[in-house]
Amino acid sequence: MLFLALETSCDETAAAVFTDEPRILSNVVSSQNDLHARFHGVVPEIAARAHLRNLLPVIDQALRQANVTLKDIGCVAVHNTPGLVGALLIGVSAAKMLSLALDVPLLAVNHIASHIYACRLAAGRDIFPCVGFVVSGGHTALFRCEDALTMRLLGGTRDDAAGEAFDKVSAILGLGFPGGPAVEREAANGDPNAYDFPRSFLSDGRLEFSFSGLKTAVLYTVHGQNVSRATPPPAGRLRADVAASFQQAVMDVLVGKCKQALRQTALTRLAVGGGVTANKVFRAALEAMAAKEGAALFIPPPSLCTDNAAMAALAVEKWRLGQFAPLDLDAEANFL
Ligand code: KG4
Ligand code: ZN
């Protein structure tokens, strides 16, 4: 059985073809970074219009790379929640149209659950039950995952998501968009212990996060209390040290909370996904912690960490259970 999956929840237009194994045959992602860079963040209306322009060429490319045609597709899957509602609607409408035109079943997949399923996809074997951790631009949330489709929220962020904090600190430092890779590059030349930035909730047992205080601490360190019309700092020691110290503070909290979640749930597997998981310092810190705790760590390769449609192979699990979506399927902005 061949599946075609679509992802348009935020600012990547993506399509993938996979088998029911699941095995990825193609995974095409068209990024809109250039369109949003000058706004230092994703502009929903611009994202939706770009999806409309890009989606059909991206689907064509995914089919070509998989060496199949629409006639070979037996199921259509789409991320219908959570995300920007106007952006989600483009993928949902296209998936419904394809399902109707090809007369094949439609499967609706949760984008957050897919980020965790990316670990299962990359591992090529069962990873459940596990602690699931999604660290992206929109979410920072820990789950107890019984199986691919049954997850209970253990705790999440009270304000900014970790990726969002990277994007905002990148804007403060004048490093560009998206912020994560830019801050990681800058941090490589800095001292992670130069500034003692706050690590919210780290020493308490609640599995919650807060990154807005950290962002403000970075802002005050760079500009003092007078931040009106502040220009970003020039390249040099201060900029690199702030980037490295900020990144270290985020990683200490993310890794520390994973450790607490493993201990509190007594689970011995940890699956981490979402854009921030592409960060090499984060991956190394997770590996060191998991080894110490005696836990098995599952992290996808970077191409399956950031938004993509291949991770919607979670649809295979729904297909096995006959959990198909109706043709009046809607896009839902909120999930948590
Ligand atoms: O999962 P994703 O592609 O989209 C959402 O579902 O939000 O995550 C995007 C987020 C952005 O905030 C981006 O800055 C962050 O992931 N990110 C990183 C890195 N690469 C992407 N954060 C830190 N280090 C990275 N290397
Ligand atoms: Zn995502």
Side-chain angles (χ1 to χ4, degrees), residues 9 53 67 94 103 125 208-209 211 219-221 253 273 289 325:
S9 71
R53 274 197 310 276
N67 210 11
D103 194 22
R125 65 181 170 97
E208 291 187 23
F209 304 85
F211 295 106
L219 189 66
Y220 288 169
T221 302
V253 173
M289 182 277 291

Side-chain angles (χ1 to χ4, degrees), residues 126-336:
D126 192 23
I127 63 165
F128 302 101
C130 66
V131 169
F133 192 25
V134 178
V135 201
S136 69
H139 294 87
T140 304
L142 278 159
F143 299 90
R144 183 189 175 98
C145 303
E146 302 301 342
D147 55 51
L149 295 167
T150 316
M151 47 203 278
R152 186 168 63 78
L153 182 68
L154 297 170
T157 183
R158 291 189 167 191
D159 40 56
D160 294 349
E164 188 180 358
F166 268 91
D167 294 332
K168 288 178 176 169
V169 164
S170 181
I172 294 169
L173 297 178
L175 296 174
F177 176 84
V183 171
E184 182 179 6
R185 272 195 302 277
E186 183 70 12
N189 304 313
D191 173 6
N193 301 312
Y195 299 96
D196 186 18
F197 289 134
R199 283 139 169 90
S200 299
F201 302 126
L202 186 55
S203 48
D204 98 30
R206 281 173 298 174
L207 298 174
E208 291 187 23
F209 304 85
S210 166
F211 295 106
S212 68
L214 171 59
K215 173 194 65 194
T216 308
V218 168
L219 189 66
Y220 288 169
T221 302
V222 174
H223 296 301
Q225 303 280 327
N226 182 8
V227 293
S228 59
R229 286 196 287 144
T231 48
R237 177 111 325 265
L238 174 121
R239 197 174 79 175
D241 283 351
V242 168
S245 301
F246 158 77
Q247 179 172 260
Q248 193 58 50
V250 175
M251 297 317 165
D252 285 354
V253 173
L254 296 179
V255 176
K257 289 292 163 192
C258 283
K259 182 163 117 181
Q260 286 178 359
L262 283 167
R263 290 185 178 182
Q264 288 179 24
T265 58
L267 291 167
T268 56
R269 291 166 170 168
L270 173 64
V272 189
V276 179
T277 319
N279 185 292
K280 289 185 210 65
V281 176
F282 186 34
R283 298 168 80 91
L286 280 169
E287 274 162 20
M289 182 277 291
K292 238 178 167 168
E293 295 294 304
L297 175 67
F298 299 93
I299 13 182
S303 62
L304 291 179
C305 290
T306 45
D307 283 349
N308 65 86
M311 66 187 188
L314 175 57
V316 171
E317 308 286 339
K318 288 197 151 182
W319 169 75
R320 286 191 206 294
L321 299 172
Q323 293 180 2
F324 301 112
L327 275 179
D328 63 354
L329 174 73
D330 215 347
E332 305 267 355
N334 296 320
F335 159 64
L336 293 177

